Amino acid sequence: MQSLVFLITAVLLILSTATADNVTTEFIPLYYTCSEDGGRYGENSTYLSNLKVLAGLLSANASTANFVSGTAGQAPDAVYGFVLCRGDYTGAATCGKSISMAFRNTVDKGFLCRFYKDVTIYYDDYMLRFSGDDVRRNLTNRPAWVALNMNSVTRVAGKNYGEKVEKLTKMIVEVAASSPARYGTGEAWVGGNDVVSMAYGLLQCTPDLQTDDCRSCLADLVSMMPAHFSHESSDYYVGGRILGPRCNLRYEKELFFQETNATLLIDVPKNHLGKIEIILITIAAVLSIILFIALLGWIIQWKADSKTRNELEEWTRLVAVEIGTMFTHFTLSEIRSATDNFSEAKKLGEGAFGPVYWGKLAYGVVAIKRLAAYSSQGLEQFRNEIRFIAKLQHLNLVKLIGFCMQQKEKILIYEYMPNKSLDDIFKDVAKWASLTWPLRQNIIDGIAQGLLYIHNFSQSETCIVHRDLKASNILLDHQMNPKISDFGIAMLSSSATESQDTVPMGTLGYMAPECFHGSSISVKSDVFSFGVLILEIISGRKVATSFRRYKRSDNLMAYAWRLWEDGNCKQLIDNSLSVEEHNSESEIIRCIQIALLCVQANPEDRPDMVEVVRMLSIKGTQLDNPKQPAYFDELIVATTSNHTSTRYLTAIHVHPA
């Protein structure tokens, strides 16, 4: 199979569906392709009208079948397309609703592939494809997408696991190809002393394929697996998937599909009950000891401090209501073991919340944030962090794995970010100089996508305002992809377009003037902070840096504005950037203009994140001319310590010398 395969190690999201009249988490796909080969259409074109007709037709029919195809209009404006939902997707009605939402976000709202004729989009449980060419007759599996499991774990898998996975998927090929639904699942016993004891697989074709065509398509995917999923040390990654418009494949170490009588079982031993009984007895004994110790500790704590016990029980109940079963409630003993009892050797750093450690849990390597005794962030901020991140699942938001509330400890467990924060990169001259413009642009785009997501997160007609967007709260994974963190002071706003009065909280230089002076916030407050971040990323200078120019001292925003007025923005660009090498000077200056639009003093003059994302992604968009930015005649000076979560700002008025 000659497919265009993009190998991306990414977080595989399980996205939830919300009300159909709002932007929801369904807006964020696993992967999408906007093909230039298909050309583009206009805003009021016949092609767009036909596309909307086709979208309605496919969405309606997907409520009764997992695969539907169709066409709308006549050449040269005809539109062809099809949709495919996973064979075990919960109910055809849910499939139709999801397809309808995907088309709405793509066609009506234009968040993805705006005005592209040839589009393919993959979600976790379904995909859609449409084009000006008759893709229904095209049996190729392009464009395809390859990804590892969500954590790229290799330590629990090995050669035996890889062999079982390949054997399992090869056998499921025949099951899927022979099935009228062109869908098959299977399970294989791995056994041994490894942590992984089972392997699970799922393969699917579009049902319009003939048996031989489906078999050939799936066999090609299976043949690709060793190249993409076997590790350099001969271990096999514990999970992976290959998605194509005509057929797809996925395997994991944990069950991820609905089992049926048709689910294939291979190599399950018949005489292993004795070992299992021994293991169960051992587990029961260990659990009994753990429960006894936990109960004894609870009784001692109850006698020692009844008030604290009752408070923690109540808060634990509230947290459980907030997050349900989405995350893990770890015990304090697990956390102590993972961090060597919070040893200095495993300490990553310290912030307003408290110290952060790294450790190993069953999940893998994680970051463990412990509320310090000196921290002013109490149970309210702790619960606030959980209640927001529990509901926010996005590639550009840090993933919360679990929490611990035991005795007087309040601990949050996150995915581990090997490159720490953007602020840490700022402080390392060599690392900062290694950030090319494509890398910096990717960081800017990723932050924008994360903000767009939280600002449009629908929860009873409300939106989420982060309130503390800054370089130290932008974490970077192993591929330097940005993830927004620290929702401790985030809040729900009654509307994405209305301001709301609140106590001023934030960080010097990043806080919008309406928050600092008038105690009023909205999503435009986060837009201001994002504009400051863009200027820092482009210039390599912090916002509170003092720039001597025109016999006066300017902050970063004022300095950028004066260069803009002089038509000399190139001076703002970091000297470590090889602008000529990437031929990117015009792109960088465009980003400076977008940043200046974001840091306008009046919130109404700032774009929202939908507009910002469009300006960043569609290079030909005409931009407005910015006005004088906020804090133009003010020198920004920090006045707070690291051990406080209420971060007030001080701005000193500076008259020209």
Side-chain angles (χ1 to χ4, degrees):
M1 178 183 65
Q2 301 297 320
S3 2
L4 176 60
V5 178
F6 294 88
L7 179 58
I8 305 174
T9 303
V11 176
L12 301 182
L13 304 176
I14 301 176
L15 303 175
S16 60
T17 303
T19 57
D21 294 328
N22 296 282
V23 178
T24 71
T25 50
E26 288 291 341
F27 165 63
I28 307 299
L30 292 174
Y31 179 75
Y32 60 91
T33 296
C34 319
S35 176
E36 291 282 1
D37 294 340
R40 303 196 185 190
Y41 58 87
E43 187 166 4
N44 298 311
S45 64
T46 303
Y47 188 91
L48 176 58
S49 300
N50 292 336
L51 178 55
K52 290 182 178 180
V53 171
L54 179 64
L57 175 68
L58 296 183
S59 300
N61 291 339
S63 297
T64 58
N66 276 35
F67 173 78
V68 290
S69 64
T71 182
Q74 302 293 325
D77 295 307
V79 187
Y80 306 86
F82 61 82
V83 296
L84 174 67
C85 291
R86 207 171 76 178
D88 63 341
Y89 197 26
T90 340
T94 305
C95 175
K97 183 178 180 181
S98 298
I99 292 298
S100 177
M101 179 64 67
F103 270 116
R104 181 176 294 117
N105 288 327
T106 304
V107 178
D108 295 339
K109 299 183 179 180
F111 289 121
L112 295 175
C113 300
R114 186 174 175 83
F115 300 138
Y116 279 85
K117 284 189 175 183
D118 193 335
V119 175
T120 305
I121 307 178
Y122 298 106
Y123 292 83
D124 192 49
D125 294 316
Y126 58 94
M127 61 81 61
L128 61 90
R129 176 160 169 70
F130 62 80
S131 175
D133 297 323
D134 193 351
V135 292
R136 302 170 305 171
R137 301 180 182 276
N138 187 349
L139 303 184
T140 63
N141 208 31
R142 295 192 303 263
W145 179 67
V146 180
L148 304 178
N149 80 310
M150 65 176 63
N151 300 308
S152 302
V153 180
T154 59
R155 59 180 177 80
V156 294
K159 182 178 180 182
N160 184 50
Y161 178 74
E163 291 174 350
K164 285 298 178 71
V165 166
E166 292 181 15
K167 178 180 179 181
L168 175 65
T169 51
K170 288 177 181 177
M171 295 182 70
I172 300 176
V173 167
E174 191 58 41
V175 174
S178 302
S179 165
R182 301 293 186 259
Y183 170 79
T185 58
E187 305 172 7
W189 174 265
V190 178
N193 297 321
D194 297 334
V195 176
V196 176
S197 59
M198 293 291 292
Y200 301 89
L202 181 153
L203 281 75
Q204 183 177 18
C205 297
T206 55
D208 62 329
L209 287 183
Q210 297 297 319
T211 298
D212 289 343
D213 292 331
C214 177
R215 183 185 295 112
S216 175
C217 188
L218 293 175
D220 283 343
L221 298 188
V222 173
S223 69
M224 294 165 59
M225 291 175 63
H228 293 300
F229 303 136
S230 62
H231 192 256
E232 57 189 8
S233 63
S234 80
D235 291 345
Y236 225 74
Y237 288 97
V238 298
R241 62 169 64 184
I242 307 175
L243 297 177
R246 283 301 181 177
C247 65
N248 60 77
L249 169 154
R250 181 182 178 186
Y251 77 94
E252 302 286 351
K253 72 179 182 70
E254 296 176 351
L255 184 63
F256 63 93
F257 54 78
Q258 294 285 339
E259 296 173 293
T260 67
N261 292 334
T263 297
L264 183 67
L265 300 176
I266 67 170
D267 296 340
V268 178
K270 297 180 180 179
N271 300 317
H272 67 284
L273 295 179
K275 291 183 180 180
I276 289 182
E277 289 175 347
I278 294 172
I279 292 172
L280 291 176
I281 292 172
T282 303
I283 291 175
V286 172
L287 288 177
S288 298
I289 295 172
I290 292 174
L291 289 173
F292 174 79
I293 295 173
L295 179 62
L296 181 62
W298 180 84
I299 293 173
I300 294 173
Q301 181 65 25
W302 179 81
K303 290 181 178 180
D305 192 348
S306 178
K307 181 179 179 180
T308 301
R309 177 182 62 83
N310 291 335
E311 182 183 49
L312 287 176
E313 285 181 349
E314 176 63 12
W315 277 94
T316 302
R317 184 189 67 79
L318 291 173
V319 168
V321 170
E322 291 283 351
I323 69 174
T325 58
M326 296 175 66
F327 301 103
T328 303
H329 188 176
F330 293 93
T331 65
L332 184 57
S333 62
E334 288 177 297
I335 302 301
R336 289 189 182 278
S337 176
T339 60
D340 296 336
N341 198 22
F342 304 108
S343 71
E344 285 295 317
K346 290 199 170 183
K347 189 173 180 179
L348 294 172
E350 191 158 350
F353 189 102
V356 181
Y357 303 84
W358 72 271
K360 282 189 177 182
L361 295 170
Y363 180 92
V365 179
V366 295
I368 299 170
K369 187 159 70 171
R370 182 189 191 192
L371 180 65
Y374 59 72
S375 176
S376 62
Q377 293 197 30
L379 286 169
E380 185 63 36
Q381 285 83 357
F382 179 82
R383 182 178 172 224
N384 202 50
E385 181 86 353
I386 292 176
R387 68 191 284 243
F388 282 119
I389 299 190
K391 299 169 184 175
L392 301 174
Q393 300 291 307
H394 187 271
L395 288 168
N396 297 115
L397 301 183
V398 66
K399 180 180 176 61
L400 177 64
I401 298 165
F403 71 102
C404 173
M405 290 179 66
Q406 190 173 339
Q407 298 175 15
K408 294 184 179 181
E409 295 284 354
K410 290 173 282 293
I411 299 168
L412 297 172
I413 296 92
Y414 297 90
E415 64 179 325
Y416 178 67
M417 295 287 104
N419 283 309
K420 299 184 180 179
S421 73
L422 185 61
D423 196 49
D424 291 319
I425 302 294
F426 265 127
K427 296 172 184 176
D428 189 319
V429 176
K431 284 187 178 180
W432 183 256
S434 69
L435 290 185
T436 62
W437 171 242
L439 278 174
R440 299 190 197 195
Q441 192 173 39
N442 180 65
I443 292 172
I444 292 171
D445 291 343
I447 299 171
Q449 290 290 345
L451 276 182
L452 173 64
Y453 172 75
I454 67 170
H455 286 180
N456 289 284
F457 182 79
S458 175
Q459 178 72 18
S460 303
E461 303 300 323
T462 58
C463 63
I464 295 172
V465 183
H466 187 278
R467 300 178 72 196
D468 199 19
L469 190 71
K470 58 182 178 180
S472 60
N473 285 338
I474 304 301
L475 304 184
L476 300 166
D477 68 14
H478 64 288
Q479 291 185 325
M480 299 299 288
N481 293 312
K483 294 178 182 284
I484 301 172
S485 68
D486 194 354
F487 284 75
I489 62 172
M491 66 178 291
L492 289 174
S493 179
S494 58
S495 169
T497 59
E498 295 178 2
S499 297
Q500 182 173 340
D501 292 340
T502 185
V503 176
M505 298 178 72
T507 300
L508 177 69
Y510 298 90
M511 182 187 284
E514 67 270 17
C515 303
F516 178 59
H517 296 296
S519 301
S520 177
I521 72 161
S522 69
V523 292
K524 295 294 186 72
S525 307
D526 282 349
V527 172
F528 180 92
S529 305
F530 176 67
V532 175
L533 276 174
I534 294 179
L535 293 177
E536 289 186 335
I537 291 169
I538 289 175
S539 67
R541 312 274 189 93
K542 301 296 289 183
V543 64
T545 303
S546 178
F547 298 85
R548 295 297 300 176
R549 185 176 175 85
Y550 303 110
K551 297 183 179 181
R552 56 174 291 138
S553 183
D554 288 330
N555 59 49
L556 179 57
M557 289 170 283
Y559 181 63
W561 166 252
R562 293 186 183 280
L563 291 176
W564 171 264
E565 279 194 309
D566 292 345
N568 200 15
C569 280
K570 187 175 180 180
Q571 284 192 23
L572 186 67
I573 301 174
D574 190 351
N575 291 332
S576 64
L577 282 176
S578 300
V579 176
E580 293 78 13
E581 178 183 343
H582 296 286
N583 194 25
S584 54
E585 181 179 325
S586 61
E587 290 182 8
I588 299 176
I589 292 176
R590 179 182 175 84
C591 279
I592 294 173
Q593 186 175 357
I594 294 171
L596 288 172
L597 290 171
C598 291
V599 297
Q600 298 293 281
N602 188 343
E604 294 181 2
D605 292 334
R606 301 172 205 152
D608 59 24
M609 286 312 300
V610 172
E611 294 171 311
V612 171
V613 168
R614 285 176 178 168
M615 287 189 288
L616 289 171
S617 59
I618 304 176
K619 307 303 181 185
T621 304
Q622 185 68 31
L623 303 181
D624 294 332
N625 286 321
K627 303 175 184 177
Q628 180 176 294
Y631 305 121
F632 183 72
D633 289 323
E634 295 172 326
L635 178 63
I636 300 172
V637 179
T639 61
T640 60
S641 68
N642 290 331
H643 296 165
T644 175
S645 64
T646 306
R647 287 150 280 195
Y648 296 96
L649 310 185
T650 296
I652 302 174
H653 190 76
V654 178
H655 295 284

